[in-house]
Amino acid sequence: MALILYLQPHKRITLKEYLTLAEIQEDLRGGDLTCVKLVSHYLQNIESNQHLNAFVEVYADEAREAAIAVDEKITNGTAGRLAGLVIGLKDVLSHKGHGLQAGSQILKNYQAPFNATAVQRLLDEDAIVIGRQNCDEFAMGSSNENSSFGPVLNAADPTKVPGGSSGGSAVAVQAGLCHASLGSDTGGSVRQPAAFCGVIGVKPSYGRISRYGLIAYASSFDCIGPITKSVADAALLIEIMAGADNFDSTVSVNEVPAYSRNLEWSGKARIGYIRESVESEAIAPDIRQQTSDLLNRLRAEGHEVTPVEIPLVDSLLPTYYILTTAEASSNLSRFDGVRYGHRSAEASDLESLYKKTRTEAFGNEVRRRILLGTFVLSANYYDAYYTKAQRVRRLVQEETSRFFEQFDFLISPVTPTTAFTIGEKTEDPLQMYLADIFTVQANVVGNPAVAVPNGSDENGMPIGIQIMAPYFGELKMLAFAQYLTELNRKSAAILNTNH
Ligand code: GLN
């Protein structure tokens, strides 16, 4: 996508790398840094990294104007809690008056008529939105290769995928094109790209954050989640976005704890880890190694670390794909060319309008899933697939609840491999679906899970570790994630001094 030159070369701004918003805000208070400088810095980075294809659209002028306004508020002492945060939004989140396409041509020229609740809450605290980010079409994919805007490249190695479906959002944080991103996670779409790009991604509990204004893929699975460089920022963003909302009846009215102020972990955790994740040949050797090294560090710190079997693990992906495609086939029926988005020019009657519009504008993966979903919901097969998958979902939920009676956290790698080569899995959907083997459980049961960086493989590609917690157990989960990143930092420091 062609972008205009934002800056004159002589105005080049170099800022230090900020891990947390708190550090940014400290410098903003100090007076050396301004939001205007921050925005220019990110625009400059976006400009010089266009080849990554992380953004579908950049709001340069608007972000600059917003920066001036927030700088003024800072001077007046009226700035919100997110002053200084420059954020990008996955192209599935409604942002009033801005393009919204879910990476698809079927929503060509569509503009969001209102703000998603999550987006509104960030804006209310003075976050600055810098653009909308590339993703797999309708959030269906694990590699960002299903976007009608073309693939996103992994900044650690541009021949590799960034993961998906929030690929643009993960790369934008990885490559410093914005400070944080908002993605959506239906089966791993925040955590898996975060792991492939070496950043942090959180899927909160189902119902923690309102889905109002999020384009639906599979409504009983979809969650909005942040992608950041620090656990502290993820905690703050969730805290601000979460909580009751009159526009989404599935969102919980449970009080939102102050996650960001309770990140100190103390005590010993009871940790279960999936035995296969450190033993199975199907997991990349470097990932097994890094995972078991981390488990050993946790043991050495006095935590109880126990291997567990998840008996229903083989049923997770089939259950996920039956239920999500069923829900998607229903959710996506609204895109018919009648009211908005693409409309076929070839149609001669209503039926051909539907058929031609949808055939022309949906990509292959979306079509595959609509067909699959329609099939599993069809009268003759409904009980054999849909009803059965619902039952299995319940069993997995019960099994997971039993697990969390004995353990505080379930730990596993985020993915069985590191980022793969672009094109490597596009012909084999089943191989592609396997990329989600560790992430889908949290969505099938609704529990929260976080992906945290855990070293890299021999080629320097990032590896992630996942912590899953009990339903609505974000508070402890985030504190433990914070603790774990510190533990990893310490051990990396020791390794460096030994070499
Ligand atoms: N990769 C998974 C899928 O293709 C998850 C997608 C998501 O979480 N949105 O369905």
Side-chain angles (χ1 to χ4, degrees):
M1 162 138 277
L3 300 170
I4 327 131
L5 258 182
Y6 300 112
L7 289 162
Q8 306 301 324
H10 64 271
K11 284 194 188 157
R12 214 169 163 82
I13 286 173
T14 324
L15 296 179
K16 69 177 192 208
E17 202 196 319
Y18 289 103
L19 276 186
T20 64
L21 177 62
E23 292 164 27
I24 292 180
Q25 289 178 337
E26 198 180 310
D27 285 1
L28 285 170
R29 279 193 298 272
D32 277 350
L33 184 65
T34 60
C35 293
V36 169
K37 274 191 198 167
L38 277 168
V39 164
S40 303
H41 161 81
Y42 291 121
L43 289 173
Q44 200 175 264
N45 286 354
I46 293 173
E47 167 74 26
S48 52
N49 286 286
Q50 284 188 47
H51 63 288
L52 298 175
N53 203 19
F55 281 87
V56 171
E57 212 182 321
V58 178
Y59 314 133
D61 291 340
E62 199 185 321
R64 280 204 200 90
E65 278 163 32
I68 294 170
V70 180
D71 280 335
E72 260 175 43
K73 285 190 176 180
I74 294 173
T75 315
N76 300 338
T78 55
R81 295 174 74 193
L82 297 179
L85 177 72
V86 178
I87 196 164
L89 303 177
K90 182 180 183 181
D91 187 20
V92 289
L93 289 152
S94 301
H95 181 203
K96 190 174 178 178
H98 296 81
L100 178 64
Q101 287 183 249
S104 181
Q105 287 313 304
I106 203 139
L107 278 171
K108 199 170 172 191
N109 298 328
Y110 179 73
Q111 296 217 326
F114 57 87
N115 281 327
T117 298
V119 172
Q120 185 63 54
R121 290 183 182 176
L122 299 185
L123 293 172
D124 289 345
E125 292 293 345
D126 289 329
I128 297 171
V129 178
I130 199 159
R132 99 179 131 110
Q133 295 162 330
N134 203 344
C135 61
D136 283 301
E137 188 176 5
F138 285 99
M140 297 175 184
S142 309
S143 67
N144 219 119
E145 292 167 292
N146 298 334
S147 166
S148 76
F149 298 108
V152 176
L153 314 185
N154 192 313
D157 175 351
T159 66
K160 307 278 188 203
V161 302
S165 61
S166 316
S169 308
V171 169
V173 175
Q174 174 193 35
L177 314 185
C178 52
H179 185 70
S181 299
L182 221 50
S184 66
D185 191 312
T186 303
S189 277
V190 161
R191 291 160 287 154
Q192 185 255 17
F196 277 11
C197 296
V199 292
I200 288 159
V202 187
K203 183 206 96 75
S205 301
Y206 180 79
R208 184 69 289 191
I209 296 176
S210 167
R211 288 179 294 113
Y212 179 67
L214 166 69
I215 293 185
Y217 159 17
S219 310
S220 74
F221 294 74
D222 295 341
C223 291
I224 292 173
I227 297 180
T228 58
K229 283 203 165 149
S230 66
V231 175
D233 286 353
L236 181 64
L237 288 171
I238 296 172
E239 185 177 319
I240 287 172
M241 293 186 289
D245 178 24
N246 288 339
F247 294 118
D248 176 358
S249 60
T250 62
V251 80
S252 165
V253 296
N254 287 356
E255 201 182 316
V256 181
Y259 303 120
S260 64
R261 288 194 288 273
N262 288 284
L263 289 174
E264 288 289 312
W265 174 263
S266 61
K268 304 297 173 207
R270 295 165 306 163
I271 297 162
Y273 70 92
I274 302 177
R275 183 194 296 277
E276 292 225 303
S277 68
V278 295
E279 286 177 7
S280 164
E281 297 283 305
I283 314 297
D286 288 353
I287 296 187
R288 272 185 272 149
Q289 190 61 51
Q290 297 280 14
T291 305
S292 82
D293 287 354
L294 174 69
L295 294 170
N296 286 336
R297 282 199 288 284
L298 289 169
R299 279 194 192 98
E301 294 287 311
H303 302 286
E304 209 179 281
V305 180
T306 317
V308 293
E309 322 281 337
I310 305 284
L312 286 167
V313 73
D314 290 342
S315 312
L316 286 172
L317 280 174
T319 305
Y320 171 80
Y321 276 98
I322 289 169
L323 296 177
T324 55
T325 55
E327 293 186 23
S329 72
S330 163
N331 275 328
L332 271 58
S333 64
R334 72 190 71 173
F335 304 107
D336 54 13
V338 175
R339 287 165 297 249
Y340 45 74
H342 175 74
R343 173 184 293 197
S344 174
E346 313 292 320
S348 49
D349 57 14
L350 188 62
E351 193 173 328
S352 74
L353 173 72
Y354 289 162
K355 276 192 183 156
K356 288 193 193 290
T357 297
R358 289 164 68 82
T359 310
E360 285 165 12
F362 281 138
N364 286 343
E365 183 63 24
V366 173
R367 271 152 56 184
R368 178 180 2 251
R369 295 197 191 190
I370 291 173
L371 289 171
L372 249 171
T374 310
F375 173 76
V376 299
L377 288 177
S378 61
N380 287 342
Y381 295 97
Y382 189 93
D383 281 343
Y385 292 104
Y386 185 73
T387 307
K388 195 164 170 191
Q390 291 279 42
R391 290 204 180 114
V392 177
R393 185 178 201 182
R394 169 55 65 89
L395 291 177
V396 178
Q397 276 161 344
E398 286 169 2
E399 192 176 294
T400 307
S401 301
R402 277 198 299 277
F403 172 88
F404 283 114
E405 282 164 15
Q406 288 178 44
F407 295 98
D408 299 309
F409 305 115
L410 176 63
I411 288 196
S412 69
V414 183
T415 54
T417 67
T418 51
F420 41 89
T421 303
I422 293 174
E424 190 182 320
K425 298 192 179 176
T426 35
E427 297 309 314
D428 189 346
L430 290 183
Q431 269 305 315
M432 189 72 93
Y433 297 170
L434 274 173
D436 303 321
I437 182 79
F438 294 120
T439 50
V440 293
Q441 184 179 358
N443 304 78
V444 168
V445 299
N447 290 32
V450 51
V452 177
N454 187 37
S456 48
D457 71 6
E458 55 176 5
N459 302 315
M461 295 312 287
I463 292 174
I465 193 90
Q466 173 174 258
I467 309 165
M468 190 173 140
Y471 195 45
F472 277 75
E474 279 86 351
L475 191 67
K476 274 180 148 184
M477 178 182 86
L478 292 167
F480 196 72
Q482 168 79 353
Y483 163 80
L484 216 146
T485 48
E486 280 158 18
L487 196 65
N488 277 353
R489 221 169 276 150
K490 270 187 235 154
S491 92
I494 293 168
L495 276 180
N496 281 340
T497 44
N498 287 347
H499 279 253

